[in-house]
């Protein structure tokens, strides 16, 4: 059925169910006027429906064999097939206006893809596509759950996230060992944080990198040894117990101490 061999090192699992591909293409309908970047199109099952909708489409694919296939079967994409690594791609050079991202994302880099989207949150109002079910559950998790983590907090800070539907293993060639899910991220109304954004990310990552510890122990690495920790009940909690707003409060609480210990981290 396929002339392109799925490569394990690239995390490739080619979607064969066209109805699912059509439903994924539909997830960007509310942003029909914006250009679309498809990440990892493979053999073009999703690409077909995006073109059918008349979308202003560019695709980025690192696999040379897939690029050759796309050029042969989708001649209308001439000049819009970028043979490169999305994670290293200069999005600002490629797009000078807001655009959407979509894809059946390679499983081994899905989290990295979303972190890159976050870096360009002001120009990406919507991002949708298929990922591992477990990653999707982390993205929509609530405080207090085991799935709640770095990805959850950083993404939910800037995007409203919808878990749209689950996809079984049999929809792919080769079938993955896990179930998949389709999600949609839509930029929320937050314009800025009520704290230092760079330090906010640092506090979130530091806390969850030692998620079994209380925050009073994990955040010590951000401070100098002589800095006394504030007497605040938040520091007696573990990171998964804090909401986004509480992480903002914690960042403001720690900022004077971090500035004192590391002037370069302002």
């Amino acid at each position: 059925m396929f002339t392109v061999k799925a490569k394990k090192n690239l995390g490739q699992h080619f979607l064969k169910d066209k109805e699912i591909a059509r439903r994924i293409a539909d997830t960007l309908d509310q942003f029909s006027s914006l250009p679309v970047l498809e990440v990892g199109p493979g053999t073009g099952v999703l690409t077909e429906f995006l073109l059918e909708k008349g979308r202003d489409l560019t695709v980025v694919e690192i696999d040379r064999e897939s690029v050759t296939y796309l050029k042969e079967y989708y001649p209308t994409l001439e000049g819009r097939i970028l043979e490169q690594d999305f994670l290293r791609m200069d999005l600002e050079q490629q797009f000078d206006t807001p655009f959407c991202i979509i894809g059946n994302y390679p499983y081994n880099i899905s989290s990295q893809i979303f972190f890159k989207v976050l870096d360009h949150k002001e120009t990406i109002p919507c991002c949708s596509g298929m990922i591992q079910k477990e990653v999707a559950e982390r993205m929509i998790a609530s405080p207090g759950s085991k799935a709640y983590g770095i990805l959850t907090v950083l993404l939910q800070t800037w995007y409203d996230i919808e878990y749209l539907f689950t996809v079984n293993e049999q929809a792919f060639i080769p079938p993955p060992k896990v179930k998949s899910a389709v999600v949609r991220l839509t930029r929320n109304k937050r314009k800025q944080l009520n704290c230092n954004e760079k330090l906010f990310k640092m506090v979130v990552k530091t806390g969850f990198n030692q998620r079994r510890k209380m925050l009073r122990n994990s955040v010590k690495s951000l401070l100098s040894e002589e800095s006394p920790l504030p007497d605040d009940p938040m520091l007696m909690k573990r990171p998964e117990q804090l909401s986004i707003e509480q992480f903002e409060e914690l960042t403001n609480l720690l900022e004077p101490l971090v500035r004192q210990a590391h002037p370069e981290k302002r």
Side-chain angles (χ1 to χ4, degrees):
M1 183 175 179
F2 290 90
T3 59
V4 179
K5 183 179 179 182
K7 298 163 186 66
K8 190 174 181 180
N9 66 309
L10 295 178
Q12 290 178 327
H13 295 277
F14 296 131
L15 181 64
K16 66 178 181 179
D17 189 319
K18 292 203 169 189
E19 180 55 30
I20 291 174
R22 183 187 298 277
R23 290 173 69 188
I24 296 173
D26 289 346
T27 61
L28 296 183
D29 281 357
Q30 66 188 98
F31 296 92
S32 58
S33 64
L34 294 184
V36 174
L37 176 65
E38 183 186 356
V39 177
T43 54
V45 176
L46 175 57
T47 311
E48 175 184 343
F49 293 104
L50 292 168
L51 290 173
E52 188 178 279
K53 288 174 173 290
R55 300 305 300 251
D56 178 4
L57 180 65
T58 300
V59 304
V60 55
E61 174 61 67
I62 197 172
D63 178 30
R64 183 167 296 178
E65 193 175 9
S66 293
V67 169
T68 300
Y69 182 97
L70 291 166
K71 286 180 177 178
E72 180 177 349
Y73 287 94
Y74 296 94
T76 56
L77 280 177
E78 184 176 357
R80 291 173 172 261
I81 301 173
L82 309 177
E83 186 178 350
Q84 57 183 289
D85 182 351
F86 170 74
L87 296 179
R88 297 184 179 183
M89 185 177 172
D90 186 341
L91 294 177
E92 291 178 357
Q93 185 179 37
Q94 186 67 37
F95 297 95
D96 56 9
T97 60
F99 64 101
C100 297
I101 289 182
I102 196 170
N104 172 24
Y105 300 116
Y107 286 3
N108 57 347
I109 62 165
S110 56
S111 293
Q112 296 174 65
I113 288 172
F114 292 118
F115 284 130
K116 187 176 179 78
V117 169
L118 273 178
D119 289 338
H120 299 271
K121 59 184 180 293
E122 301 308 330
T123 53
I124 303 176
C126 187
C127 170
S128 64
M130 185 141 52
I131 55 177
Q132 307 100 306
K133 183 173 184 285
E134 178 259 334
V135 174
E137 289 170 343
R138 281 164 47 202
M139 290 168 65
I140 63 167
S142 300
S145 68
K146 289 183 179 180
Y148 190 75
I150 295 173
L151 189 69
T152 321
V153 174
L154 297 184
L155 284 177
Q156 289 186 18
T157 298
W158 301 105
Y159 285 90
D160 294 328
I161 304 172
E162 301 167 89
Y163 184 116
L164 299 176
F165 56 91
T166 303
V167 180
N168 290 324
E169 301 88 332
Q170 292 72 29
F172 302 88
I173 294 178
K177 295 179 181 179
V178 295
K179 292 189 184 302
S180 303
V182 174
V183 296
R184 176 168 54 209
L185 287 67
T186 306
R187 184 72 167 84
N188 61 28
K189 295 180 180 180
R190 191 190 301 268
K191 299 297 182 184
Q192 61 183 29
L193 291 175
N194 295 317
C195 64
N196 181 305
E197 184 176 342
K198 184 177 179 182
L199 183 56
F200 173 83
K201 288 193 280 189
M202 195 178 303
V203 169
V204 171
K205 290 178 180 180
T206 301
F208 281 107
N209 282 338
Q210 301 181 70
R211 65 181 299 142
R212 292 187 178 183
K213 291 187 177 182
M214 286 189 295
L215 286 161
R216 65 174 297 107
N217 294 318
S218 57
V219 301
K220 282 181 180 178
S221 62
L222 297 175
L223 313 177
S224 62
E225 290 183 8
E226 57 272 13
S227 294
L229 278 170
D231 183 17
D232 191 289
M234 273 194 300
L235 291 169
M236 301 302 292
K237 295 184 176 183
R238 292 187 171 88
E240 69 268 19
Q241 295 176 285
L242 266 59
S243 66
I244 292 169
E245 291 71 26
Q246 287 174 312
F247 269 113
E248 288 179 297
E249 291 176 32
L250 180 60
T251 301
N252 286 328
L253 184 70
L254 296 175
E255 184 173 14
L257 299 174
V258 174
R259 189 186 300 125
Q260 182 180 355
H262 306 281
E264 74 281 2
K265 291 184 180 180
R266 291 184 183 186

